Amino acid sequence: KTNLIVNYLPQNMTQEELKSLFGSIGEIESCKLVRDKITGQSLGYGFVNYVEPKDAEKAINTLNGLRLQTKTIKVSYARPSSASIRDANLYVSGLPKTMTQKELEQLFSQYGRIITSRILVDQVTGVSRGVGFIRFDKRIEAEEAIKGLNGQKPPSATEPITVKFANNPSQKTNQAILSQLYHSPNRRYPAPLAQQAQRFRFPPMTIDGMTSLAGINIPGHAGTGWCIFVYNLAPDADESILWQMFGPFGAVTNVKVIRDFNTNKCKGFGFVTMTNYDEAAMAIASLNGYRLGDRVLQVSFKTNKTHK
């Protein structure tokens, strides 16, 4: 009972800052901020191990719910890692826009202990995007929740919701794509970020015809994040593949696949909005020219040209 997990840390918080914050409570044996193995970006959580159990308990009572920058941190006892708790993260879509995070947790809590949950909201309007994530304590609980809720209508909903694993193990192709992406040797970053971004940047495409059809107008930087244009997606591409591809690089606030009005198939392109410029540049440097299935993706910042 001395080892704590700290979730929802601000993206730019360092291990030293984490250590000094928790060191103010009592003597720390070890402290680790978890970072992406390849990009070195903070993943927004860490572990703090105290010498005395009473200090760990005090840290939970004192620091859980503390607001740091725009985040409210969550401090709880860490669990030993084992196969039974891996991959217990669910992706939920089709939620009523009025549903709160608390209501989402109430809906899912009948299936087990929820570790974290969130509903994605539009940065500008604050309105829910109807998409959320739920992480259970154990994989078996997540499986039960899928059985119980996938395709069902929650109390206040008019449409059924979709509940699936966030990194869907059944989508072998997605998994293969992603593991290849994050572990292939030519994806290491020897050059400084700015150079990297320069080297991979291709002339941004003009997409006038397409954009006006879709009725969207998102400049490259909308004040709420950096908009990335992803071109050459397959007709069956959906939002979840964009979440999975861009999520590991940093905070993604929105993804959108542009679909044909009549067939509902992807028209070959989509948009991803990321909060942080460096993370967006890193994602572009890594994913531009990347082969997804049998297609080579073109990924760039969306141009600032205003579309009629």
Side-chain angles (χ1 to χ4, degrees):
K1 289 285 185 186
T2 55
N3 198 15
L4 303 180
I5 182 168
V6 187
N7 280 305
Y8 306 123
L9 293 169
Q11 197 66 42
N12 55 5
M13 190 171 188
T14 65
Q15 184 160 303
E16 283 310 305
E17 289 167 335
L18 179 66
K19 192 171 183 176
S20 69
L21 174 65
F22 281 81
S24 65
I25 302 285
E27 192 188 341
I28 288 176
E29 186 181 288
S30 63
C31 166
K32 179 174 169 53
L33 178 69
V34 181
R35 294 181 177 278
D36 184 286
K37 287 188 179 65
I38 295 175
T39 64
Q41 294 282 354
S42 162
L43 294 178
Y45 71 100
F47 295 93
V48 175
N49 194 10
Y50 282 97
V51 175
E52 296 293 333
K54 65 176 189 330
D55 289 332
E57 188 182 354
K58 187 176 167 193
I60 292 176
N61 295 334
T62 313
L63 298 174
N64 182 40
L66 178 72
R67 204 144 165 82
L68 295 176
Q69 296 169 34
T70 58
K71 305 278 193 172
T72 303
I73 68 171
K74 178 171 177 173
V75 184
S76 49
Y77 288 113
R79 300 161 302 135
S81 113
S82 74
S84 69
I85 63 174
R86 271 206 300 274
D87 301 328
N89 195 17
L90 298 180
Y91 170 86
V92 189
S93 57
L95 294 168
K97 299 282 199 249
T98 53
M99 183 178 264
T100 64
Q101 188 171 335
K102 193 172 176 192
E103 288 169 337
L104 178 70
E105 287 209 355
Q106 281 168 346
L107 180 65
F108 279 84
S109 60
Q110 55 186 320
Y111 296 99
R113 188 163 90 89
I114 293 169
I115 302 296
T116 58
S117 71
R118 69 186 177 120
I119 286 181
L120 301 176
V121 296
D122 184 297
Q123 295 291 93
V124 183
T125 61
V127 175
S128 162
R129 298 193 175 284
V131 171
F133 291 93
I134 291 270
R135 183 180 292 281
F136 277 103
D137 188 27
K138 298 192 174 65
R139 168 129 185 143
I140 188 144
E141 297 168 337
E143 286 169 355
E144 289 302 317
I146 292 177
K147 274 187 216 151
L149 291 173
N150 184 39
Q152 300 297 318
K153 284 185 198 171
S156 60
T158 50
E159 298 294 318
I161 59 173
T162 301
V163 183
K164 56 187 183 180
F165 282 109
N167 48 348
N168 195 335
S170 70
Q171 294 175 314
K172 283 287 185 290
T173 50
N174 278 10
Q175 287 308 98
I177 285 162
L178 295 168
S179 62
Q180 176 194 339
L181 175 58
Y182 299 118
H183 304 297
S184 62
N186 62 348
R187 292 285 174 209
R188 308 264 170 233
Y189 304 104
L193 191 62
Q195 250 172 282
Q196 285 281 344
Q198 238 53 59
R199 195 159 58 116
F200 288 97
R201 190 80 51 82
F202 57 85
M205 303 186 46
T206 52
I207 46 169
D208 287 347
M210 299 194 237
T211 312
S212 54
L213 283 175
I216 40 183
N217 175 17
I218 336 173
H221 184 246
T224 57
W226 297 88
C227 188
I228 300 166
F229 175 56
V230 185
Y231 179 72
N232 208 16
L233 293 166
D236 59 352
D238 66 1
E239 274 78 6
S240 69
I241 188 74
L242 290 179
W243 282 115
Q244 292 189 42
M245 279 169 58
F246 285 82
F249 290 97
V252 174
T253 52
N254 187 25
V255 299
K256 185 172 178 64
V257 167
I258 306 304
R259 292 186 164 81
D260 181 288
F261 192 71
N262 299 316
T263 64
N264 206 29
K265 291 274 188 216
C266 169
K267 290 173 68 168
F269 64 103
F271 296 96
V272 175
T273 309
M274 295 184 70
T275 320
N276 177 297
Y277 174 82
D278 285 346
E279 291 169 354
M282 182 66 85
I284 289 170
S286 311
L287 296 173
N288 180 37
Y290 175 68
R291 185 177 284 281
L292 181 65
D294 56 353
R295 289 161 174 261
V296 175
L297 298 184
Q298 291 185 7
V299 182
S300 67
F301 280 115
K302 167 125 171 18
T303 54
N304 259 327
K305 236 170 92 182
T306 45
H307 297 289
K308 299 292 175 284

